Amino acid sequence: QVHLVESGGGLVQPGGSLRLSCAASGFTFSRYAMSWYRQAPGKEREWVAYISSSTGLSKDYADSVKGRFTMSRDNGKNTVYLQMNSLKPEDTAVYYCNQGRTATFPWGQGTQVTVSS
């Protein structure tokens, strides 16, 4: 069955950087577009970034992270990444990966990102 495992979160100061990873299994990874989502305390889960299937040439980002976050994928490792730079306190959330724009896979446990001085 589909299994998504997010990692790489932590506590970082404003302006800092983190690189998140999401290891996937249970499906033909290269055939699926993937996205990152996040959920801040007391808020609904929101979409953050998208990467197309196969070579991942098509990418899209939420306006709130555009220019600061970069999503990539390694099909050989069945893993997607989210490089987060210039982090802000409002980026504090649990981050998840899922399929494309419809998030049809079971959610993983997520990885906590806390941006605070």
Side-chain angles (χ1 to χ4, degrees):
Q1 69 274 24
V2 172
H3 198 46
L4 302 170
V5 180
E6 300 89 353
S7 62
L11 173 63
V12 62
Q13 292 186 342
S17 297
L18 282 174
R19 188 195 194 204
L20 307 184
S21 300
C22 170
S25 60
F27 62 101
T28 306
F29 179 77
S30 62
R31 294 183 181 177
Y32 284 81
M34 297 293 292
S35 284
W36 282 96
Y37 299 80
R38 67 186 181 186
Q39 187 167 21
K43 295 187 177 181
E44 293 188 354
R45 187 149 35 201
E46 64 174 354
W47 168 78
V48 174
Y50 164 94
I51 189 167
S52 59
S53 61
S54 187
T55 59
L57 287 179
S58 178
K59 301 179 184 181
D60 195 15
Y61 300 93
D63 288 343
S64 58
V65 307
K66 201 168 291 185
R68 299 188 297 122
F69 290 12
T70 302
M71 187 172 182
S72 60
R73 67 187 298 153
D74 184 337
N75 292 332
K77 295 182 179 180
N78 285 5
T79 300
V80 290
Y81 304 96
L82 186 67
Q83 178 66 44
M84 306 187 296
N85 299 328
S86 302
L87 283 161
K88 304 176 181 179
E90 51 263 44
D91 294 319
T92 295
V94 179
Y95 284 71
Y96 305 85
C97 67
N98 210 303
Q99 178 269 335
R101 298 189 187 273
T102 57
T104 55
F105 292 156
W107 294 98
Q109 84 289 347
T111 186
Q112 175 71 49
V113 172
T114 302
V115 184
S116 175
S117 55

